[in-house]
């Protein structure tokens, strides 16, 4: 190890918050490295929701997830951060003041500070609990949408009652021939505005109903049998595709071994995005603090705070409050 291999800040997680942190590190003239376990940047947005609209980013009435990530990547690359993909971080160890050793499945990295922006950690969808589900997975039983136009003119059933399920149903309405939404309760766990849009749309709302059976030919699903929750009513829905959105199982994995204070699988931080380990910061959905709201927009606010505090940690003479971006980027 020599000083040339030590970066000012190593960011764990290349989702929206991590990419914005990488950009802001460049704004503060810090050397930055980003590590992510996925084969592409963007986190869950690119892995699961590239064709889904995001509504809570300031300045954008709505923006496709893949477009938001592409813009964030371009923004970060103005300062040429090193991005290491398909690397799982195994352990973060503070070996001396202003020096962290970060061990991954591929190599060992060194940094003066570490910023964790890994969202909810490793994730996988909650799979449909049905004996025949596995037979149709990979053909027309899906847990995410990567190409909205693939459903053009088709009959699509969406299962779920949260924001993502409601958003998918509304987006598919203008593409598919027919869209139905199955949820086991009458009430949805989505934003009020989205639910109002849903009730005014042509989406066929099937509540309180749940998937009772799957009927298909070989490995292709043809009908979804739904049954009234706590009732006897049964209905068969012809489908070209079934999209199940029952949420995701997440696991913060090795973070538990790093010595950071945790609360319900989230890293506890203060208003400076500091953890209990000096020099180790966190931002975005992986964090918890008083008044925490888990939105992409919140992560965008926390990232500059973490970067600025990391800069100040490395050099206490540096101001935490940076100059305005108009001054910094005028020379880029």
């Amino acid at each position: 190890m020599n000083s040339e291999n030590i970066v000012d800040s190593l960011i764990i997680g290349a989702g929206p918050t991590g990419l914005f942190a990488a950009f802001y590190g460049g704004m503060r003239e810090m050397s930055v490295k980003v590590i992510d376990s996925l084969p592409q940047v963007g986190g869950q947005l690119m892995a699961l929701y590239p064709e889904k609209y995001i509504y809570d980013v300031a300045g954008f009435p709505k923006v496709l997830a893949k477009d938001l990530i592409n813009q964030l990547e371009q923004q970060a690359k103005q300062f040429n951060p090193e991005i290491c993909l398909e690397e799982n971080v195994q352990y973060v160890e503070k070996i001396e003041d202003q020096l962290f050793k970060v061990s991954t499945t591929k190599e060992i990295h060194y940094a003066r500070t570490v910023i964790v922006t890994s969202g909810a950690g490793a994730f996988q969808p909650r799979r449909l609990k049905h004996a025949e589900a596995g037979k149709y997975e990979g053909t027309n039983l899906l847990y995410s949408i990567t190409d909205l136009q693939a459903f053009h003119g088709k009959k699509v059933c969406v299962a779920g009652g949260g924001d993502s399920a409601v958003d998918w149903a509304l987006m598919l309405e203008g593409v598919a021939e027919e869209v139905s939404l199955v949820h086991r309760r009458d009430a949805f766990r989505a934003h009020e505005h989205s639910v109002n849009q849903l009730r005014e749309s042509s989406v066929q709302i099937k509540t309180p109903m749940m998937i009772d059976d799957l009927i298909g030919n070989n490995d292709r699903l043809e009908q979804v049998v739904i049954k009234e929750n706590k009732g006897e009513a049964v209905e068969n829905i012809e489908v070209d595709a079934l999209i199940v959105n029952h949420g995701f199982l997440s696991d913060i994995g090795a973070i538990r071994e790093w010595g950071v204070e945790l609360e319900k699988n989230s890293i506890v931080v203060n208003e400076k995005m500091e953890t209990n380990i000096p020099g180790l910061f966190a931002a975005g959905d992986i964090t918890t603090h008083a008044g925490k709201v888990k939105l992409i927009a919140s992560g965008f606010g926390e990232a500059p705070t973490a970067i600025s505090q990391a800069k100040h940690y490395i050099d206490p003479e540096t101001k935490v409050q940076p100059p305005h971006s108009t001054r910094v980027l005028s020379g880029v």
Side-chain angles (χ1 to χ4, degrees), residues 41-211:
V41 302
Q44 289 191 28
L45 292 192
M46 286 301 284
L48 302 174
Y49 307 124
E51 292 279 356
K52 185 175 179 293
Y53 279 117
I54 308 298
Y55 297 98
D56 57 16
V57 178
F60 291 91
K62 63 180 181 178
V63 57
L64 281 176
K66 64 180 181 181
D67 292 340
L68 177 63
I69 294 301
N70 287 337
Q71 292 285 75
L72 284 164
E73 186 176 11
Q74 289 182 39
Q75 187 180 38
K77 284 185 174 179
Q78 293 178 90
F79 298 104
N80 299 312
E82 183 179 353
I83 299 177
C84 305
L85 299 174
E86 296 186 273
E87 286 194 42
N88 281 292
V89 175
Q90 301 294 298
Y91 200 72
V92 173
E93 179 186 5
K94 188 172 185 179
I95 55 179
E96 60 183 69
D97 190 36
Q98 294 194 14
L99 186 60
F100 287 86
K101 178 182 177 181
V102 179
S103 304
T104 76
T105 48
K106 288 187 176 180
E107 59 182 294
I108 294 175
H109 306 266
Y110 294 92
R112 296 178 180 88
T113 63
V114 171
I115 301 176
V116 184
T117 60
S118 54
F123 55 88
Q124 60 178 331
R126 292 184 184 273
R127 300 189 177 277
L128 182 64
K129 293 181 179 180
H130 188 280
E132 298 293 306
K135 182 166 63 174
Y136 305 114
E137 291 174 355
T139 52
N140 61 340
L141 193 168
L142 308 168
Y143 295 97
S144 65
I145 296 176
T146 56
D147 181 9
L148 197 66
Q149 293 305 314
F151 302 93
H152 181 74
K154 298 193 174 174
K155 296 178 180 179
V156 184
C157 176
V158 180
D163 275 308
S164 293
V166 171
D167 287 347
W168 279 134
L170 290 171
M171 291 179 69
L172 285 163
E173 182 193 16
V175 176
E177 175 189 340
E178 183 180 289
V179 180
S180 54
L181 178 60
V182 178
H183 182 44
R184 60 195 179 97
R185 297 190 180 97
D186 283 320
F188 291 92
R189 303 182 312 279
H191 284 87
E192 294 89 340
H193 178 70
S194 298
V195 175
N196 288 336
Q197 282 186 302
L198 175 69
R199 298 198 184 283
E200 294 173 1
S201 74
S202 63
V203 174
Q204 299 177 29
I205 301 173
K206 308 290 186 178
T207 61
M209 307 286 283
M210 56 195 302
I211 295 175

Side-chain angles (χ1 to χ4, degrees), residues 279-311:
L280 197 158
F281 303 83
D285 283 355
I286 191 64
T287 68
T288 185
H289 56 77
K292 173 71 178 185
V293 177
K294 292 195 175 186
L295 293 174
I296 292 173
S298 302
F300 288 160
E302 294 172 356
T305 299
I307 283 288
S308 295
Q309 292 295 335
K311 174 84 171 179

